[in-house]
Amino acid sequence: MRIAAVPLEDRFVRLEPFDDALKGEVQAALDCDAASWDIMVAPAYGDHFEVWWRAALAAMQAQTRIAYAVRRRSDGAVVGTTSLYEINPAYRRCEIGSTFYRPEARGGAINPACKRLLLGHAFDAGAVRVEIITDAVNARSQAAILKLGAKAEGVLRKHKITWTGRARDTAMFAVIDDDWPEVRDGLDRRLATVS
């Protein structure tokens, strides 16, 4: 499994791998809604952005992550970020995460469009398992993940320590290659109904 760091796009979004030319747009997209960052493992807004950005680029250099700017096709604005990360070619698995959208980009076609592109890219590259994890206190995120078609696999207790020092329980979801055709078809049907 080798997942290439290439742009991905459909009629809703263009996912652009991080590079220095995107830094300002990504920072502007993430520098909002400070309260939403309280439950994140690592913050990326305000004074925290530079450290987060450098860590993302280092992980890309190590080929363990592909961090993407999420560009809304309707107006060309960068409205957030998402990643394929914890890329493990030996186990043919990765995770989708480090996802954050500006408030006005939440709840519409942006998230399912991003997930459709990322899942397709991973499975086309030979993945057999793609995980999507979230904080167990984030009911909205869990509902969105289930709506994508991922399967709930349980909660990992005290799985991560957030930047605020809280021991986070992590809700674990996954799509495996056996699930992918059904999940893909469901996402395609869902996105086909969006005007």
PDB file of all heavy atoms in Angstrom, residues 12-35:
ATOM      1  N   PHE A  12     -17.798  19.223  -4.963  1.00  0.00           N
ATOM      2  CA  PHE A  12     -17.965  20.003  -3.742  1.00  0.00           C
ATOM      3  C   PHE A  12     -16.665  20.563  -3.175  1.00  0.00           C
ATOM      4  O   PHE A  12     -16.636  21.672  -2.657  1.00  0.00           O
ATOM      5  CB  PHE A  12     -18.645  19.160  -2.661  1.00  0.00           C
ATOM      6  CG  PHE A  12     -19.980  18.629  -3.070  1.00  0.00           C
ATOM      7  CD1 PHE A  12     -20.126  17.304  -3.453  1.00  0.00           C
ATOM      8  CD2 PHE A  12     -21.086  19.456  -3.104  1.00  0.00           C
ATOM      9  CE1 PHE A  12     -21.359  16.814  -3.842  1.00  0.00           C
ATOM     10  CE2 PHE A  12     -22.327  18.977  -3.499  1.00  0.00           C
ATOM     11  CZ  PHE A  12     -22.464  17.643  -3.870  1.00  0.00           C
ATOM     12  N   VAL A  13     -15.607  19.750  -3.215  1.00  0.00           N
ATOM     13  CA  VAL A  13     -14.355  20.124  -2.558  1.00  0.00           C
ATOM     14  C   VAL A  13     -13.151  19.754  -3.414  1.00  0.00           C
ATOM     15  O   VAL A  13     -13.223  18.865  -4.265  1.00  0.00           O
ATOM     16  CB  VAL A  13     -14.191  19.446  -1.174  1.00  0.00           C
ATOM     17  CG1 VAL A  13     -15.238  19.919  -0.192  1.00  0.00           C
ATOM     18  CG2 VAL A  13     -14.191  17.937  -1.289  1.00  0.00           C
ATOM     19  N   ARG A  14     -12.071  20.451  -3.140  1.00  0.00           N
ATOM     20  CA  ARG A  14     -10.759  20.066  -3.652  1.00  0.00           C
ATOM     21  C   ARG A  14      -9.864  19.927  -2.426  1.00  0.00           C
ATOM     22  O   ARG A  14      -9.733  20.888  -1.645  1.00  0.00           O
ATOM     23  CB  ARG A  14     -10.211  21.108  -4.614  1.00  0.00           C
ATOM     24  CG  ARG A  14      -8.800  20.794  -5.116  1.00  0.00           C
ATOM     25  CD  ARG A  14      -8.341  21.814  -6.146  1.00  0.00           C
ATOM     26  NE  ARG A  14      -6.912  21.735  -6.392  1.00  0.00           N
ATOM     27  CZ  ARG A  14      -6.330  20.878  -7.217  1.00  0.00           C
ATOM     28  NH1 ARG A  14      -7.063  20.019  -7.914  1.00  0.00           N
ATOM     29  NH2 ARG A  14      -5.015  20.874  -7.365  1.00  0.00           N
ATOM     30  N   LEU A  15      -9.284  18.751  -2.238  1.00  0.00           N
ATOM     31  CA  LEU A  15      -8.370  18.505  -1.133  1.00  0.00           C
ATOM     32  C   LEU A  15      -6.951  18.680  -1.651  1.00  0.00           C
ATOM     33  O   LEU A  15      -6.525  17.978  -2.573  1.00  0.00           O
ATOM     34  CB  LEU A  15      -8.566  17.097  -0.571  1.00  0.00           C
ATOM     35  CG  LEU A  15      -9.979  16.749  -0.112  1.00  0.00           C
ATOM     36  CD1 LEU A  15     -10.021  15.350   0.498  1.00  0.00           C
ATOM     37  CD2 LEU A  15     -10.512  17.778   0.866  1.00  0.00           C
ATOM     38  N   GLU A  16      -6.234  19.628  -1.063  1.00  0.00           N
ATOM     39  CA  GLU A  16      -4.905  20.000  -1.540  1.00  0.00           C
ATOM     40  C   GLU A  16      -3.874  19.658  -0.470  1.00  0.00           C
ATOM     41  O   GLU A  16      -3.949  20.179   0.651  1.00  0.00           O
ATOM     42  CB  GLU A  16      -4.862  21.487  -1.861  1.00  0.00           C
ATOM     43  CG  GLU A  16      -5.876  21.884  -2.919  1.00  0.00           C
ATOM     44  CD  GLU A  16      -5.966  23.383  -3.159  1.00  0.00           C
ATOM     45  OE1 GLU A  16      -5.080  24.132  -2.681  1.00  0.00           O
ATOM     46  OE2 GLU A  16      -6.921  23.803  -3.841  1.00  0.00           O
ATOM     47  N   PRO A  17      -2.906  18.768  -0.781  1.00  0.00           N
ATOM     48  CA  PRO A  17      -1.871  18.449   0.205  1.00  0.00           C
ATOM     49  C   PRO A  17      -1.147  19.703   0.666  1.00  0.00           C
ATOM     50  O   PRO A  17      -0.876  20.608  -0.133  1.00  0.00           O
ATOM     51  CB  PRO A  17      -0.923  17.520  -0.563  1.00  0.00           C
ATOM     52  CG  PRO A  17      -1.767  16.919  -1.645  1.00  0.00           C
ATOM     53  CD  PRO A  17      -2.727  18.012  -2.033  1.00  0.00           C
ATOM     54  N   PHE A  18      -0.865  19.761   1.956  1.00  0.00           N
ATOM     55  CA  PHE A  18      -0.205  20.928   2.523  1.00  0.00           C
ATOM     56  C   PHE A  18       1.109  21.230   1.798  1.00  0.00           C
ATOM     57  O   PHE A  18       1.900  20.334   1.511  1.00  0.00           O
ATOM     58  CB  PHE A  18       0.138  20.702   4.004  1.00  0.00           C
ATOM     59  CG  PHE A  18      -0.987  20.903   4.962  1.00  0.00           C
ATOM     60  CD1 PHE A  18      -2.290  21.090   4.541  1.00  0.00           C
ATOM     61  CD2 PHE A  18      -0.729  20.890   6.328  1.00  0.00           C
ATOM     62  CE1 PHE A  18      -3.314  21.276   5.455  1.00  0.00           C
ATOM     63  CE2 PHE A  18      -1.748  21.077   7.254  1.00  0.00           C
ATOM     64  CZ  PHE A  18      -3.043  21.267   6.819  1.00  0.00           C
ATOM     65  N   ASP A  19       1.318  22.495   1.543  1.00  0.00           N
ATOM     66  CA  ASP A  19       2.612  23.031   1.167  1.00  0.00           C
ATOM     67  C   ASP A  19       2.653  24.476   1.645  1.00  0.00           C
ATOM     68  O   ASP A  19       1.641  25.014   2.096  1.00  0.00           O
ATOM     69  CB  ASP A  19       2.898  22.893  -0.336  1.00  0.00           C
ATOM     70  CG  ASP A  19       1.983  23.718  -1.215  1.00  0.00           C
ATOM     71  OD1 ASP A  19       1.515  24.802  -0.795  1.00  0.00           O
ATOM     72  OD2 ASP A  19       1.738  23.297  -2.355  1.00  0.00           O
ATOM     73  N   ASP A  20       3.810  25.074   1.577  1.00  0.00           N
ATOM     74  CA  ASP A  20       3.986  26.414   2.151  1.00  0.00           C
ATOM     75  C   ASP A  20       3.036  27.443   1.554  1.00  0.00           C
ATOM     76  O   ASP A  20       2.623  28.381   2.238  1.00  0.00           O
ATOM     77  CB  ASP A  20       5.436  26.874   2.005  1.00  0.00           C
ATOM     78  CG  ASP A  20       6.377  26.120   2.932  1.00  0.00           C
ATOM     79  OD1 ASP A  20       5.897  25.613   3.970  1.00  0.00           O
ATOM     80  OD2 ASP A  20       7.574  26.030   2.623  1.00  0.00           O
ATOM     81  N   ALA A  21       2.659  27.265   0.283  1.00  0.00           N
ATOM     82  CA  ALA A  21       1.773  28.228  -0.371  1.00  0.00           C
ATOM     83  C   ALA A  21       0.377  28.247   0.249  1.00  0.00           C
ATOM     84  O   ALA A  21      -0.340  29.238   0.135  1.00  0.00           O
ATOM     85  CB  ALA A  21       1.677  27.925  -1.870  1.00  0.00           C
ATOM     86  N   LEU A  22      -0.006  27.179   0.934  1.00  0.00           N
ATOM     87  CA  LEU A  22      -1.334  27.074   1.545  1.00  0.00           C
ATOM     88  C   LEU A  22      -1.382  27.550   2.990  1.00  0.00           C
ATOM     89  O   LEU A  22      -2.457  27.689   3.568  1.00  0.00           O
ATOM     90  CB  LEU A  22      -1.824  25.623   1.501  1.00  0.00           C
ATOM     91  CG  LEU A  22      -2.201  25.066   0.135  1.00  0.00           C
ATOM     92  CD1 LEU A  22      -2.334  23.549   0.205  1.00  0.00           C
ATOM     93  CD2 LEU A  22      -3.491  25.702  -0.350  1.00  0.00           C
ATOM     94  N   LYS A  23      -0.234  27.809   3.577  1.00  0.00           N
ATOM     95  CA  LYS A  23      -0.160  28.064   5.013  1.00  0.00           C
ATOM     96  C   LYS A  23      -1.103  29.168   5.476  1.00  0.00           C
ATOM     97  O   LYS A  23      -1.858  28.992   6.437  1.00  0.00           O
ATOM     98  CB  LYS A  23       1.276  28.382   5.404  1.00  0.00           C
ATOM     99  CG  LYS A  23       1.471  28.571   6.888  1.00  0.00           C
ATOM    100  CD  LYS A  23       2.940  28.817   7.215  1.00  0.00           C
ATOM    101  CE  LYS A  23       3.141  28.990   8.707  1.00  0.00           C
ATOM    102  NZ  LYS A  23       4.566  29.243   9.024  1.00  0.00           N
ATOM    103  N   GLY A  24      -1.094  30.309   4.827  1.00  0.00           N
ATOM    104  CA  GLY A  24      -1.931  31.429   5.245  1.00  0.00           C
ATOM    105  C   GLY A  24      -3.411  31.118   5.157  1.00  0.00           C
ATOM    106  O   GLY A  24      -4.183  31.470   6.063  1.00  0.00           O
ATOM    107  N   GLU A  25      -3.820  30.455   4.087  1.00  0.00           N
ATOM    108  CA  GLU A  25      -5.238  30.107   3.931  1.00  0.00           C
ATOM    109  C   GLU A  25      -5.691  29.096   4.977  1.00  0.00           C
ATOM    110  O   GLU A  25      -6.798  29.195   5.508  1.00  0.00           O
ATOM    111  CB  GLU A  25      -5.504  29.547   2.531  1.00  0.00           C
ATOM    112  CG  GLU A  25      -5.448  30.573   1.429  1.00  0.00           C
ATOM    113  CD  GLU A  25      -5.762  29.940   0.092  1.00  0.00           C
ATOM    114  OE1 GLU A  25      -4.860  29.265  -0.467  1.00  0.00           O
ATOM    115  OE2 GLU A  25      -6.905  30.103  -0.379  1.00  0.00           O
ATOM    116  N   VAL A  26      -4.832  28.123   5.256  1.00  0.00           N
ATOM    117  CA  VAL A  26      -5.170  27.122   6.275  1.00  0.00           C
ATOM    118  C   VAL A  26      -5.258  27.791   7.644  1.00  0.00           C
ATOM    119  O   VAL A  26      -6.215  27.558   8.399  1.00  0.00           O
ATOM    120  CB  VAL A  26      -4.160  25.951   6.279  1.00  0.00           C
ATOM    121  CG1 VAL A  26      -4.394  25.030   7.468  1.00  0.00           C
ATOM    122  CG2 VAL A  26      -4.239  25.167   4.972  1.00  0.00           C
ATOM    123  N   GLN A  27      -4.303  28.626   7.960  1.00  0.00           N
ATOM    124  CA  GLN A  27      -4.329  29.309   9.252  1.00  0.00           C
ATOM    125  C   GLN A  27      -5.593  30.142   9.408  1.00  0.00           C
ATOM    126  O   GLN A  27      -6.244  30.114  10.453  1.00  0.00           O
ATOM    127  CB  GLN A  27      -3.092  30.175   9.429  1.00  0.00           C
ATOM    128  CG  GLN A  27      -3.027  30.820  10.803  1.00  0.00           C
ATOM    129  CD  GLN A  27      -1.699  31.495  11.066  1.00  0.00           C
ATOM    130  OE1 GLN A  27      -0.890  31.717  10.160  1.00  0.00           O
ATOM    131  NE2 GLN A  27      -1.447  31.823  12.320  1.00  0.00           N
ATOM    132  N   ALA A  28      -5.973  30.860   8.371  1.00  0.00           N
ATOM    133  CA  ALA A  28      -7.192  31.679   8.430  1.00  0.00           C
ATOM    134  C   ALA A  28      -8.427  30.799   8.632  1.00  0.00           C
ATOM    135  O   ALA A  28      -9.349  31.175   9.362  1.00  0.00           O
ATOM    136  CB  ALA A  28      -7.328  32.502   7.153  1.00  0.00           C
ATOM    137  N   ALA A  29      -8.444  29.617   8.009  1.00  0.00           N
ATOM    138  CA  ALA A  29      -9.600  28.724   8.148  1.00  0.00           C
ATOM    139  C   ALA A  29      -9.717  28.145   9.554  1.00  0.00           C
ATOM    140  O   ALA A  29     -10.821  27.920  10.052  1.00  0.00           O
ATOM    141  CB  ALA A  29      -9.512  27.589   7.125  1.00  0.00           C
ATOM    142  N   LEU A  30      -8.571  27.922  10.197  1.00  0.00           N
ATOM    143  CA  LEU A  30      -8.589  27.286  11.519  1.00  0.00           C
ATOM    144  C   LEU A  30      -8.650  28.281  12.664  1.00  0.00           C
ATOM    145  O   LEU A  30      -8.943  27.903  13.797  1.00  0.00           O
ATOM    146  CB  LEU A  30      -7.351  26.400  11.687  1.00  0.00           C
ATOM    147  CG  LEU A  30      -7.149  25.298  10.650  1.00  0.00           C
ATOM    148  CD1 LEU A  30      -5.941  24.457  11.011  1.00  0.00           C
ATOM    149  CD2 LEU A  30      -8.381  24.444  10.485  1.00  0.00           C
ATOM    150  N   ASP A  31      -8.396  29.530  12.373  1.00  0.00           N
ATOM    151  CA  ASP A  31      -8.315  30.537  13.418  1.00  0.00           C
ATOM    152  C   ASP A  31      -9.696  31.103  13.746  1.00  0.00           C
ATOM    153  O   ASP A  31      -9.973  32.292  13.585  1.00  0.00           O
ATOM    154  CB  ASP A  31      -7.366  31.655  12.981  1.00  0.00           C
ATOM    155  CG  ASP A  31      -6.825  32.421  14.169  1.00  0.00           C
ATOM    156  OD1 ASP A  31      -6.935  31.925  15.302  1.00  0.00           O
ATOM    157  OD2 ASP A  31      -6.288  33.520  13.953  1.00  0.00           O
ATOM    158  N   CYS A  32     -10.558  30.226  14.175  1.00  0.00           N
ATOM    159  CA  CYS A  32     -11.925  30.604  14.528  1.00  0.00           C
ATOM    160  C   CYS A  32     -12.456  29.588  15.536  1.00  0.00           C
ATOM    161  O   CYS A  32     -11.844  28.556  15.752  1.00  0.00           O
ATOM    162  CB  CYS A  32     -12.820  30.622  13.282  1.00  0.00           C
ATOM    163  SG  CYS A  32     -13.133  28.985  12.601  1.00  0.00           S
ATOM    164  N   ASP A  33     -13.569  29.895  16.128  1.00  0.00           N
ATOM    165  CA  ASP A  33     -14.291  28.944  16.966  1.00  0.00           C
ATOM    166  C   ASP A  33     -13.388  28.276  18.008  1.00  0.00           C
ATOM    167  O   ASP A  33     -13.294  27.056  18.076  1.00  0.00           O
ATOM    168  CB  ASP A  33     -14.961  27.906  16.055  1.00  0.00           C
ATOM    169  CG  ASP A  33     -16.042  27.106  16.762  1.00  0.00           C
ATOM    170  OD1 ASP A  33     -16.457  27.507  17.863  1.00  0.00           O
ATOM    171  OD2 ASP A  33     -16.461  26.074  16.217  1.00  0.00           O
ATOM    172  N   ALA A  34     -12.731  29.102  18.804  1.00  0.00           N
ATOM    173  CA  ALA A  34     -11.771  28.595  19.792  1.00  0.00           C
ATOM    174  C   ALA A  34     -12.366  27.528  20.702  1.00  0.00           C
ATOM    175  O   ALA A  34     -11.685  26.576  21.079  1.00  0.00           O
ATOM    176  CB  ALA A  34     -11.215  29.749  20.618  1.00  0.00           C
ATOM    177  N   ALA A  35     -13.635  27.644  21.041  1.00  0.00           N
ATOM    178  CA  ALA A  35     -14.258  26.665  21.942  1.00  0.00           C
ATOM    179  C   ALA A  35     -14.246  25.253  21.352  1.00  0.00           C
ATOM    180  O   ALA A  35     -14.157  24.264  22.088  1.00  0.00           O
ATOM    181  CB  ALA A  35     -15.687  27.083  22.266  1.00  0.00           C
TER     182      ALA A  35
END
